[in-house]
Amino acid sequence: MHDPFPVPCPAILRSLSIPLAETVNLPTLPLHIHEVIFSFTLYTVTHIYIAPLISTRLFPKIYPSLNGRTRLNWNTRCVSLLQSTLINVLALWVCFVDEERQAMDWRERVWGYTGAGGMIQGFAAGYFLYDTILCALYVDVYGWGMLAHGVSAATVYCLGFRPFVNYYGATFILYELSSPFLNFHWFFDKLDMTGTLPQLINGIILASTFFCCRLLWGSYSSFRVLQDVWAAIHNPGSVDLEREVMEGALGLAPSATDVAGLMARYHAGTGMSVQEEIMAFAGERRVPLWLAVSYAVSNITLNSLNWVWFGKMIEALRKRFTPEEQEKAQRKQDAMRAQKKKMRMPLQVGVDGIGGVEMEFGDDGEVLDEKIGNGDVDVDADVEADGPISSEDRFKTEIDGEGKRHVEVEKTEVRRRTKRA
């Protein structure tokens, strides 16, 4: 199937991307660079502008009151919900209607290419580029595991432009079938619907889709793709008779410039057929060891993270719907709400004399604002305890999405001597 995206790649954009494609050996990238850019832009704009605007209108009392860290996560969840819904619809449609894809053998699954598969690669690559940048900027919020996930996924989908296992792009993106329910589960918590019947129903669907799509289907598909790659490594240069004509016409290793010219003629209606298109970019049909290892490591990383996350997800669901755990969670939530007030704590502050620290807590127990006397807290100040610091008597700091430092106090009253640099 040809690329079904309604807008073809502009000639100038394709020309500008050819040097990059030649440098990194991704010949089909110029044909889908506009989809990568469109996808990346759509999700970035949604995160920065659209999600806050819609969320404020739909939840005028909840969204504006969220602290920076929670609001960052909220916007990210909105993007994830949009992306997973969009890419799932596209991928399922391609899997069901792309007849050429369905008829592929192992050679075509490894080295073959279709425009529809390239579109899926483009949309996925744009999202995971956004995701990787976001996780790198806020690694203290999302953690190294999410950053590893973003890098691995971006690597896998960019390699599809080689083309390499382009066939499996639509296959593995179906991991995202569980993502809408994962996002709904998170939103239920933030909307004070924890433990409700809607969250229970959503939780059952979430666990089912996650297990079926990411663990069962994902593990099976990983076995299939590694099996195909293994066959390609041990059968380099394998060509069936129907493709020998194309190989003779294109040479063993067409450059990105050759590819762009051929596809330009194809889009104009005077070029190759869909069947010729499948193996047009296969080149010498060999799988370098580094490529096989990179793909295998990325694939295994993603699957391993899925198993880890499934365990955490089940534990989180159990806490919300087990009576004892529900009671504990309710007590904790009530305690956090009781802290939503301003507290005064005496501190001795360097040359500024004796002052008080004023803290304002949010619904989740985080400090929304803090002041010493009449000025803001010097977050770079060295903190020196009056005596030994016990596990119950310490400050825990973290940075939120807006760059503000939050202080979580684990004791009702804490005394500190602060010396400014």
Side-chain angles (χ1 to χ4, degrees), residues 256-276:
T257 305
D258 295 332
V259 168
L262 287 167
M263 293 309 295
R265 288 192 289 109
Y266 165 73
H267 284 301
T270 59
M272 65 190 71
S273 67
V274 174
Q275 288 299 323
E276 291 173 325

Side-chain angles (χ1 to χ4, degrees), residues 137-300:
L137 290 175
Y138 301 102
V139 69
D140 57 318
V141 175
Y142 296 106
W144 291 100
M146 286 299 297
L147 180 59
H149 174 272
V151 172
S152 297
T155 299
V156 167
Y157 282 98
C158 285
L159 287 175
F161 294 119
R162 190 175 175 91
F164 179 67
V165 294
N166 172 272
Y167 169 92
Y168 286 98
T171 299
F172 285 113
I173 204 63
L174 292 179
Y175 278 2
E176 296 295 323
L177 283 170
S178 65
S179 294
F181 306 104
L182 180 62
N183 292 316
F184 285 137
H185 178 80
W186 188 89
F187 283 124
F188 279 133
D189 283 341
K190 301 307 172 185
L191 296 175
D192 289 331
M193 297 179 67
T194 301
T196 60
L197 180 60
Q199 190 180 49
L200 174 60
I201 296 173
N202 182 79
I204 294 172
I205 299 174
L206 168 60
S208 301
T209 54
F210 195 101
F211 182 78
C212 293
C213 297
R214 291 182 180 253
L215 303 187
L216 294 184
W217 173 253
S219 299
Y220 168 74
S221 298
S222 294
F223 173 78
R224 287 285 308 277
V225 69
L226 295 178
Q227 187 179 45
D228 285 345
V229 171
W230 181 265
I233 292 174
H234 288 80
N235 297 276
S238 298
V239 183
D240 55 28
L241 294 178
E242 295 181 14
R243 308 300 175 225
E244 287 184 352
V245 176
M246 280 304 300
E247 185 178 69
L250 298 178
L252 292 178
S255 69
T257 305
D258 295 332
V259 168
L262 287 167
M263 293 309 295
R265 288 192 289 109
Y266 165 73
H267 284 301
T270 59
M272 65 190 71
S273 67
V274 174
Q275 288 299 323
E276 291 173 325
E277 177 188 14
I278 291 177
M279 296 299 282
F281 307 98
E284 58 185 359
R285 301 172 195 184
R286 299 180 187 276
V287 179
L289 183 60
W290 70 265
L291 180 59
V293 171
S294 298
Y295 190 87
V297 169
S298 296
N299 193 278
I300 292 172

Side-chain angles (χ1 to χ4, degrees), residues 46-47 51-52 54-56 58-59 62-63 66 70-85 179-196 198-199 202 206 320 333:
T46 298
H47 181 103
I54 295 179
S55 298
T56 301
L58 292 179
F59 310 103
I62 296 177
Y63 182 80
L66 299 175
T70 305
R71 194 176 299 182
L72 173 66
N73 277 306
W74 180 292
N75 296 342
T76 303
R77 297 283 179 173
C78 290
V79 174
S80 176
L81 182 61
L82 170 64
Q83 184 268 344
S84 56
T85 303
S179 294
F181 306 104
L182 180 62
N183 292 316
F184 285 137
H185 178 80
W186 188 89
F187 283 124
F188 279 133
D189 283 341
K190 301 307 172 185
L191 296 175
D192 289 331
M193 297 179 67
T194 301
T196 60
Q199 190 180 49
N202 182 79
L206 168 60
R320 284 163 175 77
Q333 194 173 41

Side-chain angles (χ1 to χ4, degrees), residues 72-151:
L72 173 66
N73 277 306
W74 180 292
N75 296 342
T76 303
R77 297 283 179 173
C78 290
V79 174
S80 176
L81 182 61
L82 170 64
Q83 184 268 344
S84 56
T85 303
L86 176 61
I87 203 69
N88 283 332
V89 172
L90 292 175
L92 287 171
W93 179 72
V94 168
C95 289
F96 282 111
V97 305
D98 191 345
E99 297 178 356
E100 292 80 15
R101 180 183 181 277
Q102 296 171 8
M104 286 182 173
D105 60 15
W106 70 264
R107 300 172 185 82
E108 292 168 328
R109 289 197 296 268
V110 174
W111 294 302
Y113 161 84
T114 67
M119 179 192 69
I120 299 297
Q121 299 276 172
F123 273 83
Y127 170 74
F128 287 116
L129 178 60
Y130 150 84
D131 185 60
T132 300
I133 294 175
L134 185 71
C135 290
L137 290 175
Y138 301 102
V139 69
D140 57 318
V141 175
Y142 296 106
W144 291 100
M146 286 299 297
L147 180 59
H149 174 272
V151 172

